Amino acid sequence: MRAIHVLNGPNLNLLGTREPGIYGSLTLADIESRLHARAGGRAAITFRQSNHEGELVAWIQEAGAAGAGVILNAGAYTHTSIALADALSAVTAPAVEVHISNVHARESFRHHSYLSAKCKGVIVG
Ligand code: DQA
């Protein structure tokens, strides 16, 4: 069965109460259970969240070692983290970058991603 590691970065633990006008009212637990339902046993989902950059680096490495695909919402680290970009470069596992909001319709500092070039695809909004 295909393994997919869904990795969520800083402040995404606050979904549901964090700026609901931008991020909606679903909690991270809601998203996790919807994902499991959608996968329907066709993929083994590992779902994690951390506010710490190094922990996300370790989880990308772990996914790489396991040959798992990565779905990554790195939150604000998207726009700052060479370490996460390097981790994605270091593993052969395919990664997809995801953002709940349309980062291109927001502040200019959100328009640049260190991660997009390392990913197979990007989904925003
Ligand atoms: C986000 C967008 C980022 O710019 C922001 O820092 C986040 C959430 C999103 O999912 O829309 O924390 O990644």
Side-chain angles (χ1 to χ4, degrees):
M1 190 192 299
R2 184 83 176 127
I4 302 174
H5 291 203
V6 182
L7 307 180
N8 296 279
N11 299 304
L12 294 170
N13 55 310
L14 300 179
L15 286 178
T17 56
R18 175 194 182 194
E19 299 183 272
I22 296 174
Y23 298 114
S25 56
L26 293 181
T27 66
L28 198 59
D30 292 333
I31 292 169
E32 179 177 8
S33 61
R34 285 183 179 208
L35 204 55
H36 283 291
R38 181 62 71 96
R42 292 184 298 272
I45 309 277
T46 298
F47 195 93
R48 291 168 160 170
Q49 186 276 332
S50 178
N51 292 323
H52 302 280
E53 187 177 14
E55 195 160 33
L56 292 163
V57 168
W59 289 345
I60 291 168
Q61 293 178 4
E62 194 183 304
V70 173
I71 297 174
L72 176 62
N73 185 347
Y77 289 141
T78 303
H79 318 297
T80 63
S81 180
I82 295 170
L84 287 179
D86 283 350
L88 291 170
S89 294
V91 300
T92 52
V96 174
E97 176 184 347
V98 170
H99 299 286
I100 297 166
S101 64
N102 177 2
V103 287
H104 301 292
R106 299 181 63 193
E107 304 96 321
S108 58
F109 65 82
R110 295 185 204 277
H111 297 176
H112 177 258
S113 166
Y114 281 100
L115 311 181
S116 300
K118 313 295 182 187
C119 291
K120 291 272 184 211
V122 180
I123 301 172
V124 303

